[in-house]
Amino acid sequence: MVLVTIGALVLLLFGGCAAIVAAIGSAGDTSRVTTGRIVESDDPTGEPTARTKAREKQAGIGTAVRDGEFSFTVTKMDKRARVGGDFLSKDAQGVFLLVYITVENIGDEAQAFSGSAQKLYDAKGREFEASAEAAIYLQDSKSLYEKINPGNSVRGVVLFDIPKNTDPAAIELHDSIFSNGVKVQL
């Protein structure tokens, strides 16, 4: 019983010290990471400024957005019933939505872009996964797995197999499967 009490006191002591160090370390930091990017804020709580909120709402086709170490620009969209050539092709279950994007590595080291980390949302709020299988059949899609060195950019296409009558509302772009992502209105 004495050992259990001593152990609990040691855990409380170390836990309290860690909380104090964390609080001291972040006391002067007025930025925070939201949707994978650093948002500057004059508010000590770290909330985004009105200017940042307005920029997030305006992100659309042609607007550069950032998630982690990548800057993304959606350039256009297209729909197709089939992708590929005469001999090797893939038919959509519904229709393929092709989202053309430019991905720039704004970090300090090489990083891989993967189309499978990207998500599409329709006007009803439904989430769609990218179709890696269809990307195989599209020449130069560059969305399966593309290693991008710092300062370089790649133009690619992310494909989604969606129902024919679906109204795409936004794409959520990620620098990796672990990032929060950033939405672009379509």
Side-chain angles (χ1 to χ4, degrees), residues 4 39 46 48 78 97 107 112 125 133 138 148 156 163 165 178 185:
V4 172
V39 176
D78 188 19
L97 176 70
E133 183 182 1
L138 186 65
I148 305 172
N165 60 352
F178 304 109
Q185 303 303 313

Side-chain angles (χ1 to χ4, degrees), residues 30-105:
T30 61
S31 65
R32 69 183 178 111
V33 175
T34 180
T35 59
R37 62 193 182 283
I38 295 189
V39 176
E40 297 301 324
S41 175
D42 297 329
D43 184 346
T45 64
E47 290 302 312
T49 62
R51 189 173 110 206
T52 302
K53 288 180 182 178
R55 189 170 51 237
E56 287 178 359
K57 288 181 183 176
Q58 294 173 1
I61 294 177
T63 304
V65 295
R66 176 183 173 176
D67 181 57
E69 302 302 316
F70 283 151
S71 173
F72 298 96
T73 305
V74 176
T75 57
K76 68 179 182 175
M77 295 186 311
D78 188 19
K79 288 184 179 180
R80 296 186 192 169
R82 170 184 281 190
V83 292
D86 293 334
F87 299 107
L88 294 173
S89 63
K90 171 80 175 148
D91 290 326
Q93 294 169 353
V95 65
F96 289 119
L97 176 70
L98 286 69
V99 181
Y100 294 80
I101 60 173
T102 301
V103 183
E104 180 183 359
N105 183 339

Side-chain angles (χ1 to χ4, degrees), residues 14 23 25-26 28 52 67 86 102 104 120 124 155 175 180 184:
F14 284 120
S26 65
T52 302
D67 181 57
D86 293 334
T102 301
E104 180 183 359
L120 180 77
K124 297 177 183 177
R155 292 182 184 161
D175 84 334
N180 292 327
V184 173

Side-chain angles (χ1 to χ4, degrees), residues 138-149:
L138 186 65
Q139 186 178 4
D140 295 327
S141 76
K142 298 192 183 206
S143 67
L144 289 176
Y145 180 87
E146 188 76 21
K147 197 79 155 183
I148 305 172
N149 280 316

